[in-house]
Amino acid sequence: MKNNTRNILTILVFFLGTTFFYGQKNDWEKIKSLKVAYFTDKLELSSNEAKDFWPVYDEFEKELHTLYDSRRDLKRKYDYNNLSEEDSKHLLETYLDFEKEKVDITKRYYAKISKVLNYKKSYKLARVEEEFKRRLISEYRNKHKKGKQ
């Protein structure tokens, strides 16, 4: 019974939150609130675990966002329809460096997270992250599909 109530609450919070999110574009705080509620529930974080986990996870996300921002800035400098061979080589090398850096950051932070949570929850985190992204994208697509009809 407790598990069903928690699942219903999670789904309700998720869907209500995404409805509010899509009402106002680029409202990252609402996505963050949904993510905190969703992750806390799915990972079954105790209050002590949550207190220790969220600062580390926030630091992880911040570092990844910085990496993505630098990649986006580089991509804006090039016209992809008219790349020279030299520019293409440079961009490919940069892309591979970006992917390596992303993996390095992820490894470093999952090592930190594994010290805060146990390995079982740390592994589950990777699955929960993907699940959250898929649900968010699905909600976005469903909303835009309804708007086009």
Side-chain angles (χ1 to χ4, degrees), residues 96-109:
L96 295 173
D97 289 343
F98 164 81
E99 290 296 323
K100 182 184 178 311
E101 182 66 20
K102 187 169 68 169
V103 168
D104 291 345
I105 291 168
T106 302
K107 282 182 177 180
R108 190 170 62 251
Y109 277 95

Side-chain angles (χ1 to χ4, degrees), residues 13-84:
V13 166
F14 185 83
F15 287 114
L16 285 175
T18 54
T19 301
F20 291 124
F21 161 70
Y22 291 120
Q24 299 176 4
K25 285 189 171 188
N26 296 326
D27 195 347
W28 297 112
E29 288 303 314
K30 288 183 181 176
I31 290 177
K32 180 66 177 173
S33 296
L34 288 171
K35 188 181 238 184
V36 168
Y38 190 78
F39 282 30
T40 300
D41 177 59
K42 291 295 183 181
L43 295 173
E44 299 175 1
L45 298 178
S46 68
S47 57
N48 283 338
E49 286 174 324
K51 177 180 64 94
D52 294 337
F53 167 74
W54 285 109
V56 175
Y57 189 81
D58 290 342
E59 198 178 299
F60 172 46
E61 281 194 316
K62 184 177 179 181
E63 196 164 333
L64 283 177
H65 284 292
T66 300
L67 181 66
Y68 281 107
D69 287 345
S70 66
R71 172 103 172 110
R72 187 174 34 256
D73 291 345
L74 177 67
K75 288 168 74 174
R76 288 182 181 149
K77 293 179 182 178
Y78 291 90
D79 175 6
Y80 286 92
N81 296 319
N82 297 309
L83 287 175
S84 69

Side-chain angles (χ1 to χ4, degrees), residues 5-18:
T5 304
R6 188 171 59 212
N7 287 341
I8 291 169
L9 179 63
T10 300
I11 291 168
L12 182 63
V13 166
F14 185 83
F15 287 114
L16 285 175
T18 54

